[in-house]
Amino acid sequence: MRLLRNLFRRVRGLVRAETIHREIEEEARFHIEMRIEENIRRGMSPEEARQDAERRFGNLTRVKERGYDVRGGRWLETLWQDLRFGTRMMLKNPGFTLVAIITLALGIGATTAMFSVVNSVVFQPLPFHEPDRLVMLEEKWLPRFPRFETSPLDFLSWKAECQSYVDIGAFVPVFFNLSEGDQPERLAGARVSANLPGLLGISPILGRGFTAEEDTAGANQVALLGHSLWQRRFGADPQVIGRTVRMNGVAITVVGVMPPEFRFPIEAEIWMPMGFTPEEIKSRNNHFIWAVGRLKPGVTPQQAQSEMDLLMPRLQQNWRGQVVSFANHYIGDVRLTLGVLLGAAGLVLLIACVNIANLLITRGTTRQREIALRTALGATRGRIVRQLMTETTLLSFLGGASGLLLALGTIALVRRIPLPAIYRFEETSLDLQALAFTFLLAIGTGALFGLSPALRQSRPDLQDALKTGGRVAGGAARTRIRNVLVIAELTLAVVLLVGAGLLLKSLWRLLDVPLGFNPQNVLAVAINLPQTTYREPFQQAQFTERLLDRLKGVPGPEAVG
Amino acid sequence: MAVKDKTDLLQGTFSMLILKALSLGPMHGYGVGQRIMQLAEDLLRVEEGSLYPALYRLEERGWIESEWVTSENNRPARFYRLTRAGRKQLQVEEENCRRFVLAIGKVMQTA
């Protein structure tokens, strides 16, 4: 309670420094006046009285200063003084300052960035209703096809016969040509079974989902718009429901708009109902769709898998089914890589901390002389500790801020690089918890070791320190600590180097796989032909021939094929 | 004894005297100094400059509290008064001091 009152008074003292000065002055004046009256009563002349009174009071300025100090109005000025001094010291030793800041920045920045990526990719829950009940139903035919799509007929059989699921839906990623207005655009989208959005637990924010009738070939000329598409091409028009747009040469009616976080599967912006065509369900071996199931409450993935194992031999000769958790399907492969990278970042942070500690302890030794001098001049230990702490905190802050900038820069870079292999890579955003943690760790290390020179002055052997301070190594204990730190740092650095070297080697090998042809100066173009105009394969072949003819005439390419 | 300890002891004794003076009734700073010298029957000279920092320090620690009052000669003055915690602290310090004096007495008595 008293602490609170004192704190309150100090803050108030800050704001009303003038008042405090004035009050102290008043009190001093009062005292002196009383003394003067007393003196006059004793028979002194007014002049003598005043002189005597002022003399007895002592140095007025000094009293006022001490009073002001105790009343606590001084701490902000002290802080400002410390900051200025700290900055001056840092500028005087640019090498030390730079190394310290860079070390902190790398440690904090790298770890935070890595953590943010891992957080977005692995830990953020998928934006579906109860995502841990969702499973992907894949097919496999070992050893050539460990994970493969399923076929419409298999999907329909599963829907009819499997008991483990509340419902099963299907989807296939497709590209659409939107030829609305004067800017044709190629959109990533998907054909989905009508029950899929409901299965995932996402409802449209405008309009409605697909009906079962629309999920048939010929009747599926409807579409759901993605949120960003709706904003981008349709100006977020609330009257967009019922509008028709031309896609792949066909008039499609918009029936709904999906919420912003729905981009399933990867980066889809527009969805149409599946509507299996007769050719698609002609053969059971037409594997091109993915199936999603929601497990019934109480059913484990293992139970579902057993059911699948019993069912598949009846449907297929060579293919078997597998039940894979959603998280596993999307993130599984990448987890190992991310784990390794995270470990590496952690090592960097550790090295950074050890480095900082070492730097600070070394600096502490060189500053012993200065500290001894200040103690001899009358500085209390508290004052010195405060000053060192301010300096260290300032340094840590600068390092931390640089680290934050580095992390933000790295994350911005990460978001730009299209790595579709890693789901949600592009959604990486700064993980505040990671930032806070690394910040505190680095600052804590700084504080701990930055105070070492002050704490060692418990019994100031001033003469000794004044004479030799700055040159002496600083005692056996300190040297031992320094040795331990150096060894630790070297060890960690070597581990990191070796790990990095190995990773680089693997990456090199990957890139070096011969493609089978010389890719120099070869341009590959993917063309999306609208299905309505070029439905038949012979039409597609005709188009290709015409295209090649035209291209051959164009100057530039050496050969076309 | 290291330098620091000596000033501590002096400061502590001074604080105790101030607390004792105030235990007889609230007073302003000047009055406190006078009262101490009066009680010591003029055997002590109070350094007037260090009165106020000492008073402020005691107030920081919550053993005395102050308020501005118009005094006898119609000037505003800050009056100090002992708090309950201060009263307790005074007892503690009195006891410590007594023991200290006793110890020193014993040592010095051995001829």
Side-chain angles (χ1 to χ4, degrees), chain A residues 157-470:
Chain A
S157 306
W158 290 345
K159 243 185 120 155
E161 308 205 26
C162 285
Q163 300 293 321
S164 312
Y165 311 98
V166 170
D167 201 358
I168 307 182
F171 67 92
V172 49
V174 170
F175 282 104
F176 297 102
N177 278 342
L178 182 71
S179 39
E180 182 77 0
D182 49 350
Q183 258 200 342
E185 195 177 341
R186 190 162 178 256
L187 295 172
R191 285 166 64 191
V192 296
S193 57
N195 60 353
L196 191 67
L199 181 68
L200 295 173
I202 313 279
S203 311
I205 55 171
L206 215 61
R208 58 168 178 83
F210 299 132
T211 64
E213 296 80 47
E214 286 165 342
D215 199 0
T216 46
N220 61 344
Q221 264 57 321
V222 288
L224 283 170
L225 298 181
H227 191 91
S228 68
L229 176 67
W230 177 52
Q231 286 185 321
R232 205 172 65 235
R233 294 288 299 237
F234 299 89
D237 178 15
Q239 307 292 337
V240 73
I241 309 296
R243 261 178 78 164
T244 45
V245 292
R246 283 201 83 78
M247 280 212 313
N248 289 0
V250 179
I252 306 286
T253 315
V254 176
V255 295
V257 177
M258 296 304 278
E261 63 272 5
F262 188 70
R263 284 199 298 242
F264 181 87
I266 300 182
E267 289 304 291
E269 296 207 271
I270 188 163
W271 298 266
M272 280 182 64
M274 190 72 91
F276 291 130
T277 64
E279 300 92 71
E280 286 169 346
I281 55 176
K282 217 188 313 195
S283 154
R284 197 170 269 280
N285 277 328
N286 212 356
H287 299 261
F288 71 99
I289 62 172
W290 294 102
V292 182
R294 178 176 286 280
L295 293 170
K296 280 188 183 153
V299 177
T300 67
Q302 292 79 19
Q303 289 172 320
Q305 179 70 53
S306 316
E307 185 187 31
M308 183 72 75
D309 292 334
L310 284 174
L311 178 60
M312 279 310 276
R314 279 200 283 120
L315 303 174
Q316 289 268 12
Q317 192 179 28
N318 299 305
W319 293 90
R320 293 291 169 262
Q322 52 189 3
V323 176
V324 177
S325 79
F326 239 40
N328 224 319
H329 174 87
Y330 280 105
I331 317 170
D333 300 325
V334 145
R335 256 196 260 250
L336 183 62
T337 320
L338 285 180
V340 168
L341 283 176
L342 197 62
L347 272 182
V348 171
L349 185 64
L350 218 57
I351 293 181
C353 287
V354 171
N355 207 345
I356 297 274
N358 210 356
L359 279 173
L360 287 171
I361 286 194
T362 316
R363 189 192 66 168
T365 323
T366 38
R367 303 226 10 213
Q368 245 180 327
R369 188 172 194 187
E370 168 207 334
I371 291 178
L373 190 67
R374 296 177 82 193
T375 315
L377 285 176
T380 62
R381 195 162 96 191
R383 182 81 183 77
I384 295 185
V385 167
R386 228 184 14 233
Q387 190 258 317
L388 279 174
M389 272 240 68
T390 314
E391 214 174 307
T392 315
T393 312
L394 181 64
L395 193 66
S396 307
F397 232 76
L398 285 177
S402 314
L404 177 62
L405 284 177
L406 187 66
L408 285 174
T410 313
I411 291 180
L413 202 72
V414 156
R415 290 176 82 132
R416 288 243 186 127
I417 302 178
L419 274 177
I422 304 180
Y423 188 55
R424 291 193 302 191
F425 199 58
E426 62 290 337
E427 278 178 26
T428 308
S429 61
L430 188 66
D431 180 11
L432 289 171
Q433 284 175 321
L435 182 69
F437 174 70
T438 47
F439 218 92
L440 285 174
L441 187 62
I443 291 187
T445 315
L448 186 64
F449 290 98
L451 287 181
S452 70
L455 297 177
R456 292 193 171 275
Q457 293 296 116
S458 47
R459 260 160 292 281
D461 216 352
L462 291 177
Q463 277 209 327
D464 232 19
L466 277 171
K467 276 196 286 191
T468 65

Side-chain angles (χ1 to χ4, degrees), chain B residues 52-68:
Chain B
Y52 291 96
L55 281 167
Y56 300 158
R57 213 170 286 123
L58 286 174
E59 192 175 9
E60 277 279 296
R61 307 185 71 170
W63 294 334
I64 62 180
E65 51 190 11
S66 71
E67 62 177 341
W68 283 92

Side-chain angles (χ1 to χ4, degrees), chain A residues 15-143:
Chain A
V15 172
R16 299 168 34 197
E18 278 308 302
T19 319
I20 291 191
H21 276 299
R22 198 167 28 87
E23 282 186 347
I24 297 179
E25 175 103 29
E26 284 259 359
E27 233 178 325
R29 287 264 150 258
F30 178 80
H31 185 114
I32 293 180
E33 292 299 322
M34 294 287 279
R35 171 65 64 197
I36 291 178
E37 282 175 22
E38 171 82 18
N39 282 349
I40 291 181
R41 238 199 317 265
R42 292 236 185 115
M44 289 195 203
S45 71
E47 179 123 340
E48 278 179 334
R50 181 169 284 277
Q51 273 182 3
D52 175 67
E54 287 181 350
R55 185 177 46 84
R56 286 177 74 159
F57 192 73
N59 188 341
L60 182 62
T61 329
R62 189 155 168 274
V63 171
K64 288 208 297 204
E65 286 210 347
R66 277 178 70 194
Y68 184 63
D69 254 345
V70 177
R71 279 230 115 97
R74 183 135 283 187
W75 68 271
L76 190 68
E77 292 159 27
T78 324
L79 185 66
W80 186 240
Q81 214 173 38
D82 285 344
L83 279 174
R84 286 214 336 256
F85 184 70
T87 316
R88 244 204 335 259
M89 287 307 288
M90 290 202 320
L91 290 176
K92 270 176 81 177
N93 301 321
F96 167 81
T97 312
L98 215 62
V99 171
I101 292 184
I102 290 181
T103 311
L104 271 175
L106 282 177
I108 294 181
T111 317
T112 308
M114 203 56 232
F115 235 115
S116 303
V117 169
V118 171
N119 191 34
S120 301
V121 173
V122 177
F123 291 124
Q124 287 287 18
L126 296 163
F128 309 123
H129 176 67
E130 283 180 20
D132 43 310
R133 304 301 297 164
L134 289 171
V135 286
M136 289 293 276
L137 304 175
E138 306 170 351
E139 293 198 17
K140 65 180 176 193
W141 183 6
L142 299 170

